[in-house]
Amino acid sequence: MQVHVFSCQEIGVKYDSELIGVSDDTLAMLRQKIFNSDVVLIKNFLPLAEARLLRELAHRLFCETQPDNPAVEHGVTKNHWRFDNNPEKSRVKCISRQFRCFYWNEEPIPGLLLVMNRLARFRNIFSGLREDFALEREEEEHVSVPLIGHYPRGGGYMQKHSDPESIQKAVFMIKLSKLGIDYKDGGLYVDSDLNGESVSLDQHLDPGDLYVIKPSCQHGVAPVDPEAALDLQDNSGRWTLMSTLVLTSSL
């Protein structure tokens, strides 16, 4: 497994228009690396100041609202966050907080949907879909679900797993925190298909960086500062954001 690091300029990502602007040749190169089970990192996909602000606003939302875990009904369910502590029915055990928002609701955090749309458009063109596929409506039984995740200090983690095949051809996530500053131990790892050894990725990632991995790769989040006290009022820990294509039937 190799970790390939690019700048936005090298990839051709543009934010001065509605379209992402990545060329077909560049997409083909990125797909080849991902389908070969390598990892692609794109530095500063989200400017550092925006990454820090989104994290601060998300943390404020966690502190000022109550958790909920409602059944999701298309067009009805409100934006909400939940705290998972090794849920019994979950296929993949974890200790984390997740905030989910849906296109049929008002924007919950200023600037969040603009960032998520940038990410979703890149996800779509990588997957061979129309760039605005399922951004603001249901299409082909899929919707985009923006999600902010927090693995708190004190043992936040996600069990090693692989993701099922879908029309979304890769996992796209933006890091919002920094190993060595916001937490000291733990974080994202990916197993190599060649020898099964785990490769730690968080050492390569700064706030605002995007990482892309093949869904079938075994990956997880090692416990974040497990010796610390678990404190959900604390803004530290491992923070990420993503926008994933979800089957409406699975909601």
Side-chain angles (χ1 to χ4, degrees):
M1 173 187 292
Q2 296 185 54
V3 178
H4 304 276
V5 181
F6 299 96
S7 67
C8 285
Q9 291 75 18
E10 289 174 306
I11 297 299
V13 172
K14 300 177 181 178
Y15 293 144
D16 56 355
S17 68
E18 188 177 36
L19 303 180
I20 289 295
V22 180
S23 71
D24 290 342
D25 288 344
T26 298
L27 288 171
M29 177 270 293
L30 294 175
R31 290 179 187 126
Q32 182 180 28
K33 295 184 184 305
I34 295 300
F35 298 159
N36 192 43
S37 299
D38 288 346
V39 178
V40 167
L41 306 183
I42 302 178
K43 304 297 290 184
N44 202 35
F45 187 88
L46 174 65
L48 177 61
E50 291 187 37
R52 287 175 170 166
L53 179 59
L54 280 178
R55 171 183 157 186
E56 177 59 37
L57 293 175
H59 178 67
R60 188 180 305 171
L61 185 149
F62 283 150
C63 292
E64 294 177 352
T65 60
Q66 294 298 312
D68 196 5
N69 190 24
V72 179
E73 183 178 352
H74 187 263
V76 175
T77 303
K78 301 299 184 184
N79 301 327
H80 61 274
W81 70 273
R82 73 187 196 202
F83 174 57
D84 288 343
N85 189 348
N86 295 316
E88 181 179 349
K89 295 182 179 181
S90 176
R91 177 180 67 90
V92 180
K93 302 305 183 194
C94 66
I95 297 176
S96 68
R97 291 193 289 187
Q98 296 181 17
F99 174 73
R100 295 191 291 175
C101 60
F102 305 96
Y103 72 84
W104 55 79
N105 295 319
E106 293 184 3
E107 184 174 42
I109 298 173
L112 175 62
L113 294 185
L114 176 61
V115 172
M116 290 298 191
N117 280 350
R118 292 174 182 170
L119 181 57
R121 286 177 180 277
F122 190 49
R123 172 205 71 197
N124 284 346
I125 62 174
F126 179 93
S127 303
L129 301 168
R130 197 182 71 250
E131 188 163 326
D132 62 351
F133 178 82
L135 292 190
E136 298 179 347
R137 61 185 183 276
E138 179 183 356
E139 294 194 60
E140 298 181 19
E141 301 182 342
H142 284 80
V143 294
S144 289
V145 178
L147 183 148
I148 295 177
H150 177 217
Y151 298 91
R153 297 183 68 242
Y157 85 106
M158 177 171 284
Q159 186 179 25
K160 183 164 68 174
H161 66 286
S162 61
D163 295 322
E165 294 292 331
S166 70
I167 63 172
Q168 179 175 321
K169 302 303 183 183
V171 177
F172 292 77
M173 302 192 77
I174 298 176
K175 190 84 181 297
L176 297 180
S177 55
K178 176 68 175 174
L179 176 66
I181 296 177
D182 301 300
Y183 56 104
K184 303 300 182 184
D185 296 302
L188 178 69
Y189 62 91
V190 179
D191 282 0
S192 169
D193 284 350
L194 297 178
N195 53 26
E197 293 183 356
S198 293
V199 177
S200 176
L201 294 185
D202 279 9
Q203 60 183 319
H204 302 288
L205 292 164
D206 296 306
D209 291 350
L210 169 68
Y211 57 91
V212 187
I213 62 174
K214 186 179 179 181
S216 61
C217 288
Q218 292 282 321
H219 58 280
V221 175
V224 173
D225 291 351
E227 302 303 321
L230 181 65
D231 181 4
L232 295 184
Q233 299 297 311
D234 188 354
N235 191 13
S236 61
R238 186 177 193 274
W239 289 81
T240 60
L241 63 84
M242 66 184 297
S243 181
T244 186
L245 283 171
V246 178
L247 277 168
T248 51
S249 60
S250 71
L251 291 175

